[in-house]
Amino acid sequence: MKIAPSILAADFSKLGEGILMLNSAADLIHLDVMDGTFVPNISFGFPVLEAVASNAKIPMDAHFMTVHPEKWVERTAALGVSMMSFHLEAAGRDTASIIGRIQEAGMKAGVVINPDVPVQKLFPYIGKADFFLIMSVFAGFGGQKFIPESIERVASLKKEIIRCGASTLIEVDGGVDAGNAASLREAGADILVAGSSVFKAQDPAAAIEDLRTA
Ligand code: DX5
Ligand code: ZN
């Protein structure tokens, strides 16, 4: 499994040090962009993405929790971001076209769903999206408790991806820690996002390794 630590849980006054640590210990850098409209919180925007981009030596994974994610595709691609995901709830009928636009911009396209959206809603995008992001908490805040039903959701999505003979990857985000990482891997998760369990750990690099080998 690949581990994508979310810098939302990092100490922003020492973000440079956090990025240096991730460059040597993580697989991806997960960037949570929140707009205060799609979710009831504001995190950070392009000035922070630019600062991360100029220091990142591993691929960046930008998770847009915003209305109109299509507005930000080209600007995100220009920063060298490798993976860009957006919420199905925000995109609705424009989902397929936004996937296409992200891919045309040279990035991997991901479709995200909150815990109250049936996984079947992702089925039409199997083989079209490069990855799916299953939220295991409601998007908006770091440090929430993992919703255990998420494991079953990952397993049913994986089953359908396999049935279709597709290679769409599954990423899981929210409350991921050493206690649920193994079950998520067994259910079919390919990428785990982790904020608090990495950045609040005594030894963040060791916490990343623990998740990867769970
Ligand atoms: C929640 C974000 C997550 C979150 C992960 O809206 O998408 O990436 O910050 O943080 P933890 O691991 O603390 O739940
Ligand atoms: Zn996220």
Side-chain angles (χ1 to χ4, degrees):
M1 276 190 305
K2 289 192 171 173
I3 307 303
S6 163
I7 63 157
L8 192 60
D11 178 346
F12 281 20
S13 69
K14 298 179 190 154
L15 192 52
E17 288 173 29
I19 305 299
L20 272 179
M21 180 277 292
L22 296 183
N23 282 340
S24 61
D27 301 290
L28 301 156
I29 301 177
H30 187 81
L31 302 161
D32 286 304
V33 180
M34 302 180 188
D35 68 351
T37 299
F38 177 69
V39 286
N41 193 17
I42 296 175
S43 54
F44 50 75
F46 282 99
V48 171
L49 296 191
E50 279 158 22
V52 174
S54 55
N55 288 280
K57 297 210 159 36
I58 57 175
M60 290 172 287
D61 165 35
H63 171 196
F64 278 77
M65 285 159 272
T66 69
V67 295
H68 295 298
E70 70 280 1
K71 280 191 188 171
W72 313 113
V73 172
E74 287 72 25
R75 219 172 141 185
T76 302
L79 291 175
V81 167
S82 305
M83 298 165 64
M84 176 173 176
S85 61
F86 61 96
H87 279 255
L88 181 73
E89 307 94 294
R93 281 188 277 142
D94 296 331
T95 299
S97 74
I98 301 174
I99 290 172
R101 190 157 158 187
I102 292 173
Q103 291 169 336
E104 270 162 37
M107 298 180 287
K108 302 274 185 218
V111 183
V112 193
I113 54 170
N114 263 314
D116 60 351
V117 177
V119 283
Q120 289 75 11
K121 298 256 183 192
L122 292 175
F123 289 1
Y125 309 104
I126 290 176
K128 298 192 174 77
D130 296 290
F131 66 104
F132 293 127
L133 175 46
I134 298 292
M135 291 305 301
S136 38
V137 300
F138 281 89
F141 298 90
Q144 303 181 75
K145 204 172 149 324
F146 181 81
I147 299 173
E149 289 75 19
S150 311
I151 294 166
E152 203 36 60
R153 285 160 60 74
V154 170
S156 27
L157 180 58
K158 187 70 170 195
K159 203 171 149 199
E160 184 63 13
I161 291 171
I162 291 169
R163 198 189 66 78
C164 295
S167 55
T168 311
L169 300 176
I170 302 180
E171 181 173 26
V172 182
D173 183 6
V176 171
D177 61 20
N180 50 42
S183 311
L184 288 167
R185 175 178 45 73
E186 282 158 23
D190 302 289
I191 306 166
L192 298 183
V193 176
S196 311
S197 68
V198 166
F199 283 99
K200 311 286 185 229
Q202 199 91 324
D203 182 346
I208 293 170
E209 196 50 30
D210 286 349
L211 290 171
R212 193 185 281 123
T213 56

